[in-house]
């Protein structure tokens, strides 16, 4: 796990976009794993800018999003399928039908979840997975207590997560769905490269557990310590509770120098 403590959202977006640019220069038909939420927005902004500048094309790519609320109207702006189109994929050149999202409208949700999991494998697996992290340590919607090897499934959201996400639902927690279809931790761990982005003091505890805590379903993101190719891009506030901050700074400086 490489930890980069970066000075601004712009820099986080640039560093993450550099990874994508390198990947696409080697594999123009890469499979991207897309996260919703506010954390990856600086990355999407940078990718859109580089696309508009003619530096990046997604014309041969496919994408899979991480998760979807269960029960929102198809047109609801906070439906993750709508969010990702609005904030990223409609602003670049993914071909029609290339962006896949979990089907929360499946007649049988368990079968729908299993089919989504299988479709990722059939596509060849995710080359580059973007992640945020919840203040309770969730990734996608894998909440505390989730099996560390889970596959795509329907799970319940914690009150903490619903409270955190109420800001997208007029500040009203009762409008936040209670369930979501989410890629499992085992599914996410199959991605070949993972970049997790976190900003702000509200994420500091979860980031400390992610980087320096023991691997445990109490903090689901800690499973990423078992992955060989993970980058954690954070701002100073999100890094504020890390014990070995200076070590990560030196290590990242060396990584930048040699890459
Ligand atoms: C949401 C999403 C996650 C996201 C996280 C953090 O509930 N399911 O994929 O990473 O919570 O959200 P944000 O980036 O808005 O802080």
């Amino acid at each position: 796990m490489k930890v980069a403590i970066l000075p601004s959202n712009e820099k986080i977006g640039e560093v993450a976009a550099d990874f994508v640019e390198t990947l696409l220069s080697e594999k123009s038909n890469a499979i991207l794993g897309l996260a919703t939420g506010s954390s990856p927005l600086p990355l999407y902004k940078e990718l859109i800018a580089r696309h508009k500048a003619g530096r990046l094309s997604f014309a041969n790519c496919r994408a899979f999003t991480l998760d979807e609320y269960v029960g929102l109207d198809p047109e609801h702006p906070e439906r993750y399928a709508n969010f990702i189109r609005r904030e990223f994929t409609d602003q670049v050149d993914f071909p029609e039908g290339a962006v896949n999202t979990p089907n929360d409208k499946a007649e049988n949700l368990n079968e729908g979840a299993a089919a989504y999991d299988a479709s990722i494998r059939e596509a060849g697996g995710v080359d580059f997975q973007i992640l945020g992290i919840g203040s309770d340590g969730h990734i996608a919607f894998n909440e505390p207590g989730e099996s560390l090897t889970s596959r795509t499934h329907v799970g319940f959201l914690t009150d903490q997560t619903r409270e955190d996400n109420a800001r997208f639902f007029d500040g009203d927690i009762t409008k936040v769905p209670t369930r979501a279809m989410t890629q499992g931790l085992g599914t996410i761990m199959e991605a070949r490269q993972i970049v997790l982005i976190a900003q702000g003091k509200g994420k500091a505890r979860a980031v400390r557990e992610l980087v320096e805590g023991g691997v445990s379903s109490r903090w689901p993101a800690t499973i990423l310590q078992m992955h060989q190719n993970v980058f954690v891009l954070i701002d100073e506030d999100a890094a504020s509770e890390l014990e070995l901050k200076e070590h990560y700074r030196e290590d990242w400086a060396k990584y930048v120098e040699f890459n």
Side-chain angles (χ1 to χ4, degrees), residues 119-135:
S119 68
I120 298 171
R121 278 198 172 151
E122 279 155 20
V126 169
D127 291 298
F128 184 87
Q129 179 64 57
I130 300 152
L131 290 178
I133 185 169
S135 65

Side-chain angles (χ1 to χ4, degrees), residues 26 39 45 70 74 98 120 127 142 147 158 188 210 217 235:
E26 290 160 0
S39 308
K45 194 173 161 206
V70 171
I120 298 171
D127 291 298
N142 292 279
S147 154
T158 60
I188 293 167
L210 159 69
S217 62
D235 67 4

Side-chain angles (χ1 to χ4, degrees), residues 37-39 67 80 132-133 138 140-141 161 165 167 203:
S38 51
S39 308
D67 47 11
Y80 284 163
I133 185 169
H138 72 245
F141 269 129
T161 296
N165 290 4
R167 68 190 194 280
K203 301 291 175 70

